[in-house]
């Protein structure tokens, strides 16, 4: 089958959506499909590339804003494919799929990864206007809409437009990479944390990820033995460091910067006692299943997209969204558990991932979806 994947970010520049697309495309190619990826052009990258047997074409947008860009040239690139798989959202790109689907035999599959969460009033106005027009047209043209989490999809403002075509397909994780292994603090430059309680945060420092909530919880706990390792950067990093300085907590928090290397991310998971995901909104949370696959318990906001990953009291804890007091109480409860019980939580998380979130299981379902519309 000749398949086009359309996505706003892709290798070597990864976000969660780009990572999922990469894993799917890599495996589809290995299964004998002819796959091409169409994505945005970023500085320093070639317009055309070959990776693991599939082709990548990076399009230079007329106007670029963040991970979005107006790319009318996409329409002409998509001619001749049997199937087009759009990873939504892709503002400025997704709508250019419509002319092709309307004039060809190509079938459209859409993975509805998440609702965009723009910052700034101008971007919010643009999104509101855009969402009144294009998403429903795109979803109407699609044969199937793939949701990554049922509760998140049902809560979406677009659910009435997609439920008849929707199918739930959770993302996967490379369980042979993200797995329990001995901690190697020295390889991460964290040897000075040996014997400490280590809380891990992984992600971009966007406001909706709520690192500020975790910092506030640290202040409430006031535990001299507890340290926070932040794997990520950008966005509000300066504000968070200022917050730490004002709270006199800067000695308790280590910023490591971005990490795109899966094996290094695994090492961080193996070094920590728990991962905290304090987000206000998550459609799925890849970092949560990275942690669970590594045998690391997860403490997360009690919201759609995370309730489906974390079983409260089994492989982690859920806390009240937006409440630093609730998060602090859950962290306190977690560290009061006997070490053996915390270890059992990690084992339960690993068992869940092996049962529900392997890429083999994901790809088997994805190819069945493709076959059902071709």
């Amino acid at each position: 089958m000749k398949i086009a994947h359309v996505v706003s970010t892709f290798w070597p520049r990864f976000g969660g959506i780009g990572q999922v697309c990469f894993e799917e495309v890599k495996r589809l190619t290995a299964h004998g499909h002819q796959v091409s990826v169409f994505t945005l052009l970023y500085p320093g990258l070639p317009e055309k590339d070959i990776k693991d047997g599939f082709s990548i074409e990076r399009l230079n947008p007329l106007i670029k804003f963040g991970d979005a860009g107006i790319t009318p040239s996409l329409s002409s690139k998509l001619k001749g494919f049997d199937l087009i798989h759009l990873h939504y959202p892709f503002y400025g790109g997704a709508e250019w799929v419509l002319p092709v689907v309307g004039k060809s035999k190509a079938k459209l599959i859409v993975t509805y990864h998440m609702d965009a969460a723009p910052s700034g009033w101008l971007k919010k106005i643009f999104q509101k206007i855009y969402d009144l027009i294009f998403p429903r047209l795109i979803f109407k043209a699609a044969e199937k809409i793939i949701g990554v989490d049922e509760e998140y999809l049902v809560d979406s403002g677009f659910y009435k437009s997609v439920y008849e075509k929707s199918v739930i397909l959770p993302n996967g994780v490379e369980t042979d990479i993200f797995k329990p292994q001995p901690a190697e603090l020295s390889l991460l430059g964290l040897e000075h944390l040996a014997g400490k309680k280590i809380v891990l945060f992984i992600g971009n420092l966007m406001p909706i990820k709520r690192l500020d909530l975790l910092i506030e919880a640290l202040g409430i706990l006031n535990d001299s033995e507890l340290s926070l390792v932040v794997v990520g950067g950008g966005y509000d990093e300066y504000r968070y460091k200022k917050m730490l300085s004002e709270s006199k907590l800067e000695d308790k928090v280590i910023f490591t910067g971005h990490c795109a290397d899966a094996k290094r991310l695994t090492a961080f998971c193996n070094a920590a006692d728990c991962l905290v995901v304090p987000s206000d909104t998550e459609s799925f949370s890849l970092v949560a299943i990275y942690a669970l696959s590594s045998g690391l318990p997860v403490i997360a906001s009690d919201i759609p997209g995370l309730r489906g990953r974390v079983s409260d009291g089994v492989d982690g804890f859920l806390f009240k969204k937006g409440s630093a007091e609730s998060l602090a109480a859950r962290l306190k409860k977690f560290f009061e558990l006997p070490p053996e019980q915390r270890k059992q939580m990690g084992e339960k998380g690993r068992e869940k991932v092996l049962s529900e979130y392997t890429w083999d299981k994901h790809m088997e379902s994805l190819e069945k979806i493709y076959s059902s519309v071709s």
Side-chain angles (χ1 to χ4, degrees):
M1 190 181 296
K2 191 176 181 183
I3 306 168
H5 274 246
V6 179
V7 64
S8 60
T9 60
F10 194 72
W11 173 89
R13 179 188 171 92
F14 277 139
I17 296 174
Q19 181 68 52
V20 171
C21 179
F22 178 82
E23 298 295 343
E24 289 179 344
V25 166
K26 180 173 65 174
R27 288 167 173 81
L28 287 168
T29 303
H31 292 178
H33 298 285
Q34 183 181 344
V35 188
S36 299
V37 176
F38 298 92
T39 188
L40 289 175
L41 178 66
Y42 285 89
L45 296 176
E47 291 188 7
K48 294 187 177 182
D49 215 340
I50 299 290
K51 173 71 174 173
D52 295 338
F54 59 85
S55 66
I56 306 166
E57 187 158 352
R58 301 182 179 94
L59 307 177
N60 196 8
L62 295 178
I63 302 173
K64 189 172 183 302
F65 36 100
D67 289 332
I70 299 174
T71 53
S73 61
L74 178 61
S75 291
S76 62
K77 305 288 185 181
L78 293 176
K79 294 176 181 177
F81 286 93
D82 302 312
L83 188 144
I84 299 169
H85 189 153
L86 169 65
H87 295 266
Y88 187 90
F90 182 176
Y91 289 103
E95 57 272 23
W96 298 103
V97 172
L98 291 172
V100 184
V101 175
K103 295 179 181 179
S104 73
K105 295 181 180 179
K107 304 296 184 181
L108 176 62
I109 300 289
V110 177
T111 296
Y112 184 73
H113 287 276
M114 57 179 284
D115 294 316
S119 58
W121 64 270
L122 190 59
K123 289 182 180 178
K124 288 179 180 178
I125 290 173
F126 171 82
Q127 181 194 359
K128 193 167 185 178
I129 295 171
Y130 183 99
D131 285 354
L132 287 173
I133 304 169
F134 290 108
R136 287 170 177 81
L137 293 175
I138 293 165
F139 299 150
K140 184 178 180 180
E143 300 290 329
K144 290 288 183 182
I145 311 292
I146 298 172
V148 295
D149 179 271
E150 184 171 9
E151 187 182 7
Y152 185 88
L153 184 64
V154 170
D155 274 6
S156 165
F158 300 117
Y159 183 62
K160 290 182 180 179
S161 305
V162 306
Y163 75 94
E164 290 182 348
K165 301 178 178 181
S166 66
V167 58
I168 303 302
L169 179 57
N171 296 321
V173 61
E174 291 191 281
T175 55
D176 57 337
I177 294 178
F178 290 96
K179 60 185 178 182
Q181 299 173 87
E184 297 188 70
L185 291 170
S186 59
L187 294 180
L188 301 170
L190 301 176
E191 57 271 18
H192 60 291
L193 297 184
K196 298 275 190 179
K197 304 170 187 174
I198 301 176
V199 174
L200 183 64
F201 174 98
I202 301 174
N204 291 323
L205 303 185
M206 302 170 68
I208 60 169
K209 298 296 183 180
R210 296 306 306 271
L211 179 60
D212 59 312
L213 202 69
L214 181 49
I215 292 170
E216 189 178 342
L218 290 183
I220 293 170
L221 288 170
N222 193 28
D223 186 341
S224 61
E225 295 301 308
L226 192 151
S227 293
L228 169 63
V229 175
V230 177
V231 181
Y235 297 94
D236 279 6
E237 183 173 350
Y238 173 79
R239 180 171 72 87
Y240 294 136
K241 288 182 176 178
K242 183 179 179 183
M243 181 181 178
L244 287 166
S245 178
E246 291 172 349
S247 305
K248 300 190 183 331
L249 293 170
E250 60 264 49
D251 292 340
K252 299 178 69 63
V253 182
I254 298 163
F255 288 83
T256 70
H258 289 289
C259 178
D261 181 79
K263 291 183 179 179
R264 188 168 174 82
L265 279 177
T266 307
F268 279 114
C269 290
N270 295 146
D273 292 289
C274 66
L275 174 80
V276 174
V277 187
S279 307
D280 280 341
T281 179
E282 288 282 351
S283 62
F284 182 80
S285 186
L286 283 172
V287 298
I289 59 167
Y290 290 165
L292 294 173
S293 185
S294 303
L296 182 67
V298 177
I299 299 175
S301 298
D302 189 4
I303 57 173
L306 283 171
R307 278 194 286 263
R309 311 289 83 73
V310 181
S311 301
D312 191 39
V314 178
D315 47 32
F317 288 117
L318 297 170
F319 68 90
K320 184 179 178 182
K321 171 187 171 181
S323 171
E325 292 79 10
S326 178
L327 172 53
R330 286 307 203 183
L331 280 167
K332 185 173 185 293
K333 182 176 181 178
F334 175 77
F335 282 110
E336 286 176 346
L337 294 174
E340 185 59 33
Q341 192 170 343
R342 299 204 301 265
K343 182 182 177 184
Q344 288 172 359
M345 276 188 157
E347 290 169 349
K348 290 290 185 182
R350 174 72 176 176
E351 289 172 9
K352 177 195 286 182
V353 169
L354 291 175
S355 172
E356 301 178 25
Y357 300 119
T358 66
W359 277 118
D360 285 346
K361 184 172 183 177
H362 177 98
M363 294 307 299
E364 181 181 354
S365 297
L366 180 63
E367 292 193 79
K368 284 180 180 177
I369 293 169
Y370 284 0
S371 296
S372 73
V373 303
S374 61

